[in-house]
Amino acid sequence: MSTADQELLSAFDGHEVESIRAALDAGADKLRIDWLLEEYTRSDRLADCLRLLFERGAVLHDPAVAPVLLNDADAIRAAVKATPSLLDHRTTLTSSFTALVGVSLLHVAAEYGNLDTACALVEAGADVNASAAVDEHGLNGHTPLFHTVNSNRNRSEPIMRLLLAAGAKPDVRVAGITWGKAYEWETTFFDVTPISYAQMGLLPQVHRSEREIYANIRLLLAAAGREVPRLGNVPNRYLQPKRHT
């Protein structure tokens, strides 16, 4: 990998638009848009990063996902009006977290935390309980809700609320999900519901906030009509740094 490409990858990691521009000017591969989408950062700056790459000639292998990734609700509404079948469109992207294989546009919006396009898709009639593809081992097949329950920086929490309000099932079960497939943090979870998948955020390789995870769990339990216990030991006292006296 060239020095310019290394700088580009580092800039992608933080969604640093001007650093991306500098790396491209230094000769980095402008076509490596897949690197940007693979990175685990989730932020509003993704759209600006993508626009810059588009200006430099990069293209997506599936143009249908562009307005979702750009969080362009008006473009989504126009696209669905012109081609209603987009609501059933299936696509595949490499994801460092929950798999995006054979997923709907709503899955993509949920994974990247793009609330505007998620709202537009739900308003247009997207199936909030659509299933992703199932792999050769019977894993995945998850709904968009799974992408929201332990998201990076809890960015997709508003979409979790949106989906639940629109009828997403908080207790649907899948045989398993492989999280971070092909990355060094790859982990396969079995017999998973959105509630149990939320709890996976407590694992050290997932790097999520304990307070945020339990807030999401409370919301999911309530949506499932289950009793919500007090859950008073959050954050867990045993895991906190010990004070020396």
Side-chain angles (χ1 to χ4, degrees):
M1 183 183 296
S2 70
T3 299
D5 281 349
Q6 289 176 338
E7 292 174 351
L8 182 65
L9 186 59
S10 177
F12 281 167
D13 184 37
H15 290 175
E16 299 167 1
V17 180
E18 292 309 312
S19 295
I20 294 171
R21 190 188 310 277
L24 293 172
D25 290 343
D29 186 351
K30 65 184 179 182
L31 300 181
R32 296 314 303 256
I33 196 168
D34 54 324
W35 285 356
L36 173 62
L37 299 179
E38 287 178 32
E39 286 294 345
Y40 50 78
T41 296
R42 303 286 184 255
S43 80
D44 291 338
R45 298 186 303 278
L46 174 64
D48 292 332
C49 298
L50 282 168
R51 290 189 185 96
L52 174 58
L53 292 178
F54 292 154
E55 289 171 5
R56 298 298 181 95
V59 295
L60 294 166
H61 78 275
D62 182 359
V65 304
V68 179
L69 295 170
L70 292 170
N71 202 24
D72 189 337
D74 289 340
I76 279 291
R77 294 187 185 100
V80 171
K81 183 176 181 180
T83 311
S85 61
L86 278 176
L87 293 178
D88 297 317
H89 181 72
R90 289 294 185 269
T91 194
T92 294
L93 297 169
T94 301
S95 175
S96 54
F97 299 139
T98 304
L100 287 172
V101 178
V103 295
S104 70
L105 297 183
L106 188 55
H107 283 84
V108 177
E111 173 58 38
Y112 287 93
N114 288 347
L115 179 61
D116 293 345
T117 48
C119 288
L121 287 165
V122 170
E123 290 167 2
D127 183 0
V128 297
N129 290 304
S131 298
V134 175
D135 71 11
E136 68 273 21
H137 306 294
L139 302 177
N140 303 323
H142 49 279
T143 65
L145 186 61
F146 283 83
H147 290 272
T148 69
V149 299
N150 58 22
S151 58
N152 179 247
R153 302 176 185 175
N154 210 29
R155 174 176 169 82
S156 296
E157 189 268 353
I159 300 178
M160 177 175 63
R161 292 178 178 274
L162 168 74
L163 295 175
L164 290 171
K169 298 176 181 177
D171 52 0
V172 62
R173 187 186 71 84
V174 297
I177 293 178
T178 299
W179 184 86
K181 187 173 179 62
Y183 292 87
E184 61 182 349
W185 50 86
E186 177 180 317
T187 311
T188 299
F189 307 113
F190 297 97
D191 296 326
V192 184
T193 69
I195 294 170
S196 66
Y197 198 51
Q199 290 183 288
M200 306 310 173
L202 301 174
L203 292 174
Q205 65 267 41
V206 183
H207 300 295
R208 301 294 184 255
S209 160
E210 190 177 354
R211 290 186 187 277
E212 290 173 344
I213 289 298
Y214 274 108
N216 292 349
I217 290 170
R218 289 185 182 98
L219 185 63
L220 291 163
L221 287 171
R226 295 174 56 179
E227 180 180 354
V228 183
R230 179 171 170 269
L231 300 175
N233 192 25
V234 178
N236 193 285
R237 292 187 297 276
Y238 179 79
L239 299 178
Q240 301 311 301
K242 301 296 188 291
R243 292 182 180 180
H244 297 287
T245 58

